[in-house]
Structures are given as C-alpha cells and as structure tokens.
Amino acid sequence: MSIERLPNVLCLQLKRFRQRMERGNQASKVCAVAGICCLPHSSDKERLPVRTWVDSFVEFPLHSLNMYKYTSAYISSHKRRKDSAGATNGASASERTSSEPCPAAAEHLYDLFGIALHHGTMQNGHYTAYVRRYASWFHCDDASITPATPTAVRSCKAYLLFYIRKAIC
C-alpha cells in the first residue's frame, strides 16, 4: 500500500484499543479484574468481544517526519531499481545499491504541531492536547493553557498526532 499524494496536514491515529474474543465467563472475569469494557455477561459457550486500552509509549518525531518511503513514487522507483539490479549480473552489491533515492524534498517532510491525549480508562476519561505555536509548545487542559517543554511533548502517550507539511510552514 502506498500514498499517491501526501496531504498538507497529516493526522495519524495510534491504535490505542485492543479487542479480542473471550468466552462469556472469561470475559466477565476480565471485566471485573482489569476494569475493562465488555458486553453484558453471558453463558460460557458464547464468545464476547473484550476491549482494552493500550497504554504503551510510542516514539514520534517533533520535526522532519519523512513520509517519502510511503509514497507511490518511492515504492515504484525502489521496485524498478530492485528489478534492474537483478538483471545486472556482473555488478557488485555496493554498485547496485549506490542508486538509493536522494533525500526527500520538503514536500515529503512534516513537523508536528498538535497531539491529542487520552487520560483514563475505556469507560471514562479526559482528553488534553499539546499544541505548537511557532517554536513554543503549550499544554491545553479544558480552560487551562500552560507552556510545555519539548521533553514533555516527546514523553507523552499520544493518541492522535497532527503534522503539517514543511513546504507550507
């Protein structure tokens, strides 16, 4: 899968929910112990979906997210190079890989300008956000807006990431 044309604003949603099927009795126990969401209790034979919140940390760049390798242009040129490398029997491996694509242009690079975060559980919680204005970051929590450091932004457990193309900044 590839992207034909990159957008000016790129929104990435991180998968923060996990769903698996459990027998009714097992699903009921999981709900009671872990405090996670599932359908009403049922018989042992019936399978129910059990959803859990994934709270793991995901590293993400603040600047210069390079999307070039996900574009159709990159994938098709990479495939052509691979095919032609196989055809040149006498060329060494280093000669075949020396034609790697040049670094991505600004049209493929994105800077982070916003993050949505979820605090809480599957049943209830609270959303906050980090937003960037010029070079400064701010944490938004309802009516409270406070300055934030890039370190705090990098270390948060993001749910949604909002990037803007460098070429239009």
Side-chain angles (χ1 to χ4, degrees):
M1 185 165 72
S2 63
I3 302 170
E4 183 66 32
R5 204 175 106 216
L6 290 166
N8 289 332
V9 175
L10 179 67
C11 178
L12 301 175
Q13 178 182 1
L14 302 178
K15 184 178 177 185
R16 291 292 187 188
F17 303 96
R18 180 177 298 136
Q19 181 169 317
R20 65 181 189 278
M21 299 301 285
E22 296 276 348
R23 281 194 215 119
N25 195 6
Q26 290 173 332
S28 301
K29 288 177 188 172
V30 171
C31 284
V33 173
I36 56 178
C37 180
C38 67
L39 293 178
H41 308 294
S42 65
S43 71
D44 282 342
K45 293 178 184 168
E46 193 174 352
R47 294 180 65 82
L48 299 172
V50 175
R51 283 187 258 161
T52 57
W53 179 256
V54 178
D55 196 34
S56 55
F57 176 74
V58 176
E59 192 172 338
F60 51 88
L62 298 184
H63 302 286
S64 300
L65 171 67
N66 188 346
M67 293 297 293
Y68 181 59
K69 66 181 178 180
Y70 304 103
T71 63
S72 301
Y74 171 80
I75 290 171
S76 63
S77 69
H78 192 67
K79 185 179 182 319
R80 278 194 308 271
R81 263 194 308 285
K82 224 177 187 182
D83 292 344
S84 66
T88 57
N89 297 331
S92 69
S94 61
E95 290 170 333
R96 287 192 302 259
T97 58
S98 65
S99 61
E100 284 297 314
C102 58
E107 67 195 45
H108 301 114
L109 300 176
Y110 288 82
D111 287 335
L112 187 67
F113 74 91
I115 302 172
L117 298 97
H118 178 268
H119 310 275
T121 65
M122 290 284 296
Q123 291 82 18
N124 59 37
H126 181 69
Y127 287 92
T128 64
Y130 283 107
V131 294
R132 180 177 56 88
R133 180 172 166 89
Y134 303 113
S136 300
W137 282 96
F138 298 91
H139 184 242
C140 305
D141 186 353
D142 293 335
S144 171
I145 300 174
T146 56
T149 64
T151 303
V153 173
R154 268 191 208 94
S155 64
C156 75
K157 294 180 180 175
Y159 177 51
L160 293 167
L161 299 167
F162 299 92
Y163 285 91
I164 189 163
R165 191 189 303 231
K166 269 187 182 282
I168 63 169
C169 290

